[in-house]
DNA sequence: GAATCAGCAGTTTTT
DNA sequence: CTGCTGATTC
């Protein structure tokens, strides 16, 4: 029998809710995951077959966490519940319904890197004059239009990016089709296309009896539509989220989904979880005071039974350097008083802000980790290796093919590539065909011709083998391919420092190991390589080797966006200044600070015991010292804020700085017990 | 091809 | 000021 005694009344109400739509407005730290897993367990207990329950999250991490916690309640049955991300759900649909979606069986999934490769290529082909435009910005414009299902890119600012995007949009769509590739957005958009077919729609609306959605405030219009289709038959859709934590509107999320859930799903029961189990009352009072200034929101006033705690500290600092010093000194005191480094987080609006904290922490020998940045799959050698697999799987994938046509160097220069591409276009049979039939039709230098021939001869047979690889042969075949093409050798030949070389070899081997592991875990019956590439495309972001060890004993540095969903006993929210939070772009472009305020709120509500919010009065930007204004959000805090001033009339002299560093260093060593 | 230079822009990133 | 990109050069 499921134990509901540890749930509070609204939590229990959400868990026990039977049929029909349910909206759970779960404030920060109010135990929403708890509610979801208990609800799933409850449904199973009431006789619902686990495979007819669908739980949707945004991240793999959240899905995995949910699965683990569910196991704690229902044991092995947890594996039968369909828990996945929205994108993985889209893929599940497309795997079965690709024909109705206008795809062929072996379609590839393009990640952001692949998409950028395509945009750069299109830029090269069509906008010779504008090559230096940032491909990513153009891609953003294209994707925004595509998500809205517009026929053309809409002009908003009318800048060069939008103009380029306007030209490239149709080409982008056309090429993706030619490559038999879909991007992340397409996983949902194409799934929706497939669901327009009556048979398909009937099949999928029959599939699940109960739906549960986490982080509903971050869902997009497409995701809403998908839910409506899946829930059409029964309306059993339970969504959990917090409109006050909606921080992804810029990526296509519609806050309106959660605000108008009841009108989208008639008969909705609404439950508010406002008891917070994370923070002290002082922290919540400040957070509540800030967020209440947002206009369109479901009002929630968070409270907790964890006591008043320390007041929130507002710290005015002379310069950004002072701010860093203040933070690091305070960390020293906290640690001296028994806090662990991994209890502490430094949160900021933009990644650039991490630099000064990284430097200062390193100087004081305080262990830290920076969350974000380049992921494993973005490393060159890994992307190259994966590109070989992509081409083996789908030779029409010309982004991957162009990436590796001359990797490692085999004498096929830019001009030769261009000729091959032209030939491929002219014949309409694509680059791969051109490469295999270079013969007499294409004018190539002898070196290029020889390189091409040897590539085709080596790659072709092993690629065929790889494509048909089954359990037990996928990893070894890939290894064979990498060796035959000399990937490993080229890393050694690059002759970088021994450390770097070793790391890159290790990264390459990691790919082979990932393939081997996949053979062991997958239940896929179809082509193994295809599935591996798809699954890996959807799990790239979080496959960073982030063990518990990686976090242990380290101060965490990350953006406010990355901090969502996490908590730390001690939080430093830094750079709480106009033009940073709210960000300059928001101030310049529109009038809606709502999302920036929510970001501030998300940051504040990460803190369990103590929260510092700091700003600098001057800050070096682009090489100039600029005066700064405290964020408007600070004015919204309950009076009287505690201001700790750390002004300095003039910058410290070198001697002062040295003396201070020495003193601090000695203190820190004593505190941490670190040897010189 | 690798090295160097000039020019430019400068948020956030679950998949 | 930095970091990246594409162009230029040897």
């Amino acid at each position: 029998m499921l134990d509901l005694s540890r749930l509070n009344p609204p939590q229990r109400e959400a868990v026990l809710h039977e049929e029909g739509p349910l909206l759970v407005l779960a404030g920060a730290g109010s135990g929403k995951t708890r509610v979801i897993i208990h609800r799933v367990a409850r449904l199973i207990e009431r006789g619902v077959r686990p495979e007819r329950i669908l739980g949707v999250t945004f991240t793999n991490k959240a899905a995995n966490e949910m699965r683990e916690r569910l196991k704690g309640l229902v044991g092995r049955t947890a594996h039968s519940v369909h828990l996945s991300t929205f994108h993985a759900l889209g893929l599940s649909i497309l795997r079965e319904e690709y024909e109705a979606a206008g795809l062929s069986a072996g379609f590839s999934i393009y990640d952001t890197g692949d998409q950028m490769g395509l945009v750069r290529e299109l830029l090269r082909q069509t906008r010779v004059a504008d090559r230096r435009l940032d491909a990513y910005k153009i891609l953003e414009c294209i994707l925004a239009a595509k998500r809205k299902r517009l026929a053309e890119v809409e002009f908003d600012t009318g800048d060069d990016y939008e103009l380029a995007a306007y030209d490239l949009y149709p080409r982008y769509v056309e090429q993706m089709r030619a490559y038999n590739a879909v991007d992340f957005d397409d996983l949902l958009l194409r799934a929706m296309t497939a669901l327009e077919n009556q048979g398909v729609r009937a099949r999928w609306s029959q599939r699940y009896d109960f739906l549960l959605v986490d982080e509903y405030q971050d869902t997009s219009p497409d995701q809403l539509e998908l839910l409506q289709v899946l829930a059409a038959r029964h309306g059993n859709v339970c969504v959990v989220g917090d409109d006050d934590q909606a921080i992804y509107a810029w990526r296509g999320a519609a806050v309106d989904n959660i605000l108008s859930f009841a009108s989208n799903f008639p008969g909705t029961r609404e439950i508010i979880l406002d008891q917070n189990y994370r923070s002290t009352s002082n922290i919540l009072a400040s957070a509540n005071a800030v967020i209440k200034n947002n206009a369109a929101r479901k009002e929630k006033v968070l409270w907790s039974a964890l006591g008043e705690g320390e007041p929130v500290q507002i710290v005015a600092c002379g310069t950004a350097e002072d701010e860093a010093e203040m933070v690091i000194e305070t960390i020293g005191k906290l640690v001296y008083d028994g806090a662990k480094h991994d209890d502490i987080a430094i949160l900021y609006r933009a990644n650039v802000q991490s630099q000064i904290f990284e430097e200062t922490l390193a100087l004081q020998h305080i262990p830290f980790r920076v969350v974000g940045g380049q992921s494993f799959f973005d490393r060159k050698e890994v992307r190259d290796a994966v590109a070989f697999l992509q081409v083996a799987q789908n030779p029409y994938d010309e982004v991957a093919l162009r990436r590796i046509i001359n990797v490692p160097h085999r004498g096929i220069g830019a001009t030769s590539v261009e000729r091959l591409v032209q030939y491929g276009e002219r014949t309409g049979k694509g680059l791969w065909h051109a490469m295999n039939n270079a013969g007499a039709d294409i004018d190539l230098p002898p070196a290029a011709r020889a390189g091409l021939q040897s590539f085709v001869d080596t790659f072709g047979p092993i690629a065929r083998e790889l494509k048909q690889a089954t359990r037990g042969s996928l990893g070894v075949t890939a290894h064979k391919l990498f060796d035959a093409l000399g990937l490993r050798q080229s890393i050694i030949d690059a002759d970088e420092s021994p450390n770097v070389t070793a790391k890159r070899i290790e990264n390459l081997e990691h790919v082979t190991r990932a393939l081997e592991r996949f053979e062991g875990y997958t239940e896929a019956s179809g082509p193994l390589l295809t599935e591996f590439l798809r699954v890996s495309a959807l799990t790239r972001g979080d496959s960073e080797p982030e063990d518990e060890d990686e976090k242990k004993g380290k101060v965490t540095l990350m953006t406010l966006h990355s901090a969502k969903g996490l908590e730390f006993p001690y939080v430093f929210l830094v750079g709480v200044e106009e033009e940073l939070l709210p960000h300059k772009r928001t101030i310049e472009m529109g009038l809606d600070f709502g999302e920036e305020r929510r970001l501030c709120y998300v940051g504040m509500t990460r803190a369990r015991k103590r929260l510092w919010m700091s700003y600098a009065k001057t800050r070096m930007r682009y090489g100039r010292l600029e005066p700064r204004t405290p964020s408007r959000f600070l004015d919204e805090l309950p009076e009287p804020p505690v201001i700790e001033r750390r002004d300095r009339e003039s910058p410290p002299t070198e001697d002062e700085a040295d003396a201070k560093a020495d003193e601090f260093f000695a203190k820190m060593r004593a505190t941490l017990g670190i040897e010189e």
Side-chain angles (χ1 to χ4, degrees), chain A residues 648-665:
Chain A
R648 190 152 54 198
E649 291 308 316
S650 58
T653 67
E654 209 164 301
D655 286 351
E656 276 170 358
D658 283 352
K660 196 162 185 181
D662 285 347
E663 177 202 337
F664 197 73
F665 191 42

Side-chain angles (χ1 to χ4, degrees), chain A residues 278-285 304 306-310 607-609:
Chain A
R278 178 185 295 155
S279 315
T280 65
S281 306
N282 271 331
I283 292 168
L284 294 178
S304 88
L306 300 173
E308 232 180 34
E310 300 283 328
R608 294 178 54 183
K609 294 184 185 165

Side-chain angles (χ1 to χ4, degrees), chain A residues 32-181:
Chain A
K32 70 184 168 95
T33 309
R34 213 179 154 66
V35 166
I36 295 176
I37 59 160
H38 276 84
R39 185 168 161 74
V40 173
R42 164 79 179 176
L43 289 170
I44 293 171
E45 194 181 76
R46 292 292 305 270
V48 178
R49 283 164 56 205
E51 60 275 13
R52 300 198 57 86
I53 301 173
L54 171 68
V56 196
T57 59
F58 274 85
T59 65
N60 297 298
K61 194 177 153 208
N64 293 336
E65 191 194 321
M66 210 169 278
R67 173 99 57 203
E68 284 309 307
R69 290 181 61 177
L70 190 57
K71 263 198 244 173
L73 288 186
V74 303
R76 297 177 50 82
T77 313
H79 290 287
S80 309
V81 179
H82 192 346
L83 288 180
S84 85
T85 63
F86 268 106
H87 291 85
L89 175 62
L91 175 59
S92 300
I93 296 171
L94 291 181
R95 262 199 286 256
E96 293 178 33
E97 319 291 355
Y98 59 86
E99 278 178 328
L103 294 163
S104 17
F107 65 88
S108 303
I109 298 174
Y110 269 20
D111 69 8
T112 314
D114 298 321
Q115 292 175 294
M116 294 265 282
L118 175 52
V119 172
R120 283 206 189 93
E121 170 57 19
L122 294 176
L123 214 47
R124 249 194 299 274
Q125 286 174 8
T126 59
R127 305 270 300 203
V128 183
D130 293 339
R131 273 190 211 180
R132 47 184 64 209
L133 287 178
D134 183 351
Y136 186 70
K137 289 193 155 177
I138 298 171
L139 178 63
E140 274 187 320
C141 297
I142 293 175
L143 295 182
K146 193 153 76 68
R147 275 196 287 258
K148 290 187 209 156
R149 300 179 205 191
L150 298 173
E152 291 178 338
V153 167
E154 248 176 348
F155 292 115
D156 181 20
T157 59
D159 60 18
D160 290 351
Y161 300 110
E162 288 183 353
L163 287 165
Y166 182 90
D167 292 343
L168 264 39
Y169 180 30
R171 297 275 296 145
Y172 176 91
V173 174
E174 198 181 304
Q175 290 303 98
M176 289 294 281
R177 193 169 284 271
Y179 299 167
N180 196 25

